[in-house]
Amino acid sequence: MLTLVALLLTAFASPAISCSESSWITFSRSCLGPPQVWEARPSPGKGIGVYATRVIEPGDTILSEPAMIHITPPEFRDGVAYPLGDINTLLQSSFDALSPEQKTEVMSLHAHMSPSEDANDTLMAIMRSNAYTTGNSLGLFPKGARINHSCRPSTSQYWNPQTGRRIVYANRRIEEGEEIFATYIPLLYSHEARQRRLDQYGFKCTCEACAQEQEARQASDQRRQDLQKAFVAFEPQLTLSVPQSVVGKRKARKNAEASVQLVEQLEEEGLADYYVKAYHIAAIAHARIEDWKPATLWANKGFETSLLADPNARSTGARELQALTNHLIIKWNEELRENMTRHG
Ligand SMILES: [Zn+2]
């Protein structure tokens, strides 16, 4: 029962108030941002890299950075070529407004140029090689841009539109002195397919997943492709309705088992960006066989993990998981009460 009480507390707890919401009276030291836990220094074969200066725990913020350049490109219209000229003008005027120190910082970033480009295109190439989408806009975050890519990254990131900052946080424990990695691409693809996508950044990936012995790499490739297929296969089954037919029930039991395998394979591959989705699937798959305890625990795990990227549970995804956890707790509680009545 202790677990259930703890869960009730988690699921009903109101999200913490963020610094942007606190008044000057409640302004605390924590609102000054976390102490710097990283340093940029040369990384063998990769130019500059970002390293942990102390142990960083899962969920710890590594960087909280406003965009130095922030542009909203004109809306993309079907059948009309993307107005590159307009973007260039926006980019140039944003750059011109920066201080000399900021300009130096931007121009020191890596730019992967195509053979047809010349020095006049450097700013555009820097943007293309380093910018992140922030809602409908594009932002350049020079500190975060120093973090190198890995197909098994130790950080995840999100854009907080309320504070206007991009947050990079640890998705697992990072040791002191360890290089910190992010991903530049979606990761449920084979090594070759990932490399093709990374060509646009102009480097060959030598991360721990890509540098494995052939056999281990093939196993990793297979897992990633299987995971991609499993996500697609589970998509139409994300409903709480309990199947009534014998065949339906048998299939649902198999799916519940498969959902646990999905989580295990993801954790084995270290693909933290997909955990919330997998925990959600496992919760629903167990609810469909009315196995309320694991269903509740998976939903709550999904909710707690989603808070890492969304501490105030503002997103639809986080709110859905919170509501699902609360719904499942009630179901689990009913089951416990029924069992007690039956045995008491
Ligand atoms: Zn790689």
Side-chain angles (χ1 to χ4, degrees):
M1 275 308 264
L2 230 187
T3 330
L4 189 58
V5 174
L7 273 174
L8 280 164
L9 287 174
T10 322
F12 288 113
S14 47
I17 294 173
S18 74
C19 290
S20 62
E21 286 167 334
S22 59
S23 72
W24 63 273
I25 302 169
T26 59
F27 190 83
S28 67
R29 253 193 75 78
S30 65
C31 292
L32 298 173
Q36 187 165 321
V37 295
W38 56 272
E39 63 181 5
R41 58 180 156 91
S43 166
K46 300 192 189 85
I48 299 285
V50 169
Y51 291 81
T53 51
R54 65 161 170 82
V55 169
I56 305 173
E57 298 293 345
D60 281 0
T61 298
I62 295 169
L63 266 171
S64 165
E65 192 182 12
M68 193 171 278
I69 290 181
H70 206 192
I71 58 168
T72 307
E75 234 169 84
F76 181 79
R77 279 178 298 148
D78 264 353
V80 180
Y82 212 76
L84 272 183
D86 293 356
I87 295 179
N88 236 333
T89 312
L90 281 173
L91 187 55
Q92 196 58 52
S93 59
S94 272
F95 181 77
D96 291 342
L98 298 178
S99 70
E101 294 76 26
Q102 288 174 319
K103 283 181 181 164
T104 309
E105 197 171 350
V106 169
M107 294 314 286
S108 70
L109 293 174
H110 166 74
H112 178 58
M113 315 270 289
S114 68
S116 60
E117 289 175 307
D118 60 30
N120 293 325
D121 302 313
T122 308
L123 187 55
M124 185 62 119
I126 286 175
M127 202 66 184
R128 205 176 47 230
S129 310
N130 299 284
Y132 275 87
T133 50
T134 53
N136 297 326
S137 311
L138 282 175
L140 186 70
F141 305 88
K143 292 187 175 58
R146 298 278 183 214
I147 302 177
N148 286 319
H149 166 86
S150 166
C151 304
R152 196 171 280 164
S154 49
T155 66
S156 297
Q157 58 94 24
Y158 65 95
W159 165 247
N160 184 333
Q162 275 78 34
T163 57
R165 284 170 174 266
R166 174 174 174 260
I167 313 292
V168 177
Y169 65 93
N171 61 34
R172 62 161 173 79
R173 183 186 154 101
I174 301 172
E175 302 299 331
E176 181 180 344
E178 188 183 335
E179 183 166 1
I180 295 169
F181 291 105
T183 181
Y184 299 175
I185 54 164
L187 293 171
L188 297 183
Y189 295 97
S190 68
H191 164 75
E192 264 179 44
R194 297 197 302 273
Q195 191 53 64
R196 274 198 300 277
R197 282 175 180 251
L198 287 169
D199 283 345
Q200 63 173 309
Y201 299 98
F203 67 90
K204 296 276 169 234
C205 191
T206 55
C207 77
E208 56 166 313
C210 292
Q212 297 178 100
E213 295 289 329
Q214 198 186 8
E215 208 175 307
R217 201 168 75 193
Q218 277 168 351
S220 158
D221 281 356
Q222 193 61 51
R223 265 198 299 272
R224 286 174 194 242
Q225 286 163 313
D226 288 349
L227 285 164
Q228 174 77 296
K229 279 188 207 144
F231 275 127
V232 173
F234 268 112
E235 206 68 56
Q237 298 174 42
L238 287 177
T239 149
L240 281 172
S241 67
V242 175
Q244 298 303 324
S245 70
V246 176
V247 178
K249 278 183 192 296
R250 194 183 306 138
K251 198 172 164 215
R253 261 197 307 278
K254 272 198 173 156
N255 279 339
E257 282 167 27
S259 73
V260 176
Q261 277 173 13
L262 176 75
V263 170
E264 285 170 356
Q265 286 195 315
L266 271 178
E267 290 179 345
E268 200 174 333
E269 272 303 293
L271 300 176
D273 282 350
Y274 302 88
Y275 288 172
V276 172
K277 204 173 170 184
Y279 298 151
H280 190 181
I281 286 172
I284 300 275
H286 285 84
R288 295 187 83 219
I289 55 167
E290 298 178 283
D291 199 353
W292 304 116
K293 183 181 173 180
T296 310
L297 296 174
W298 284 122
N300 188 62
K301 198 168 180 180
F303 174 59
E304 288 198 329
T305 310
S306 72
L307 292 183
L308 296 179
D310 180 17
N312 296 302
R314 284 197 168 92
S315 69
T316 319
R319 283 175 191 275
E320 256 177 41
L321 278 162
Q322 190 175 23
L324 179 63
T325 309
N326 293 339
H327 168 76
L328 294 171
I329 285 174
I330 293 167
K331 289 289 194 186
W332 183 15
N333 208 9
E334 279 171 9
E335 183 187 63
L336 288 173
R337 244 187 266 145
E338 268 171 38
N339 286 347
M340 273 202 280
T341 318
R342 209 174 300 143
H343 297 116

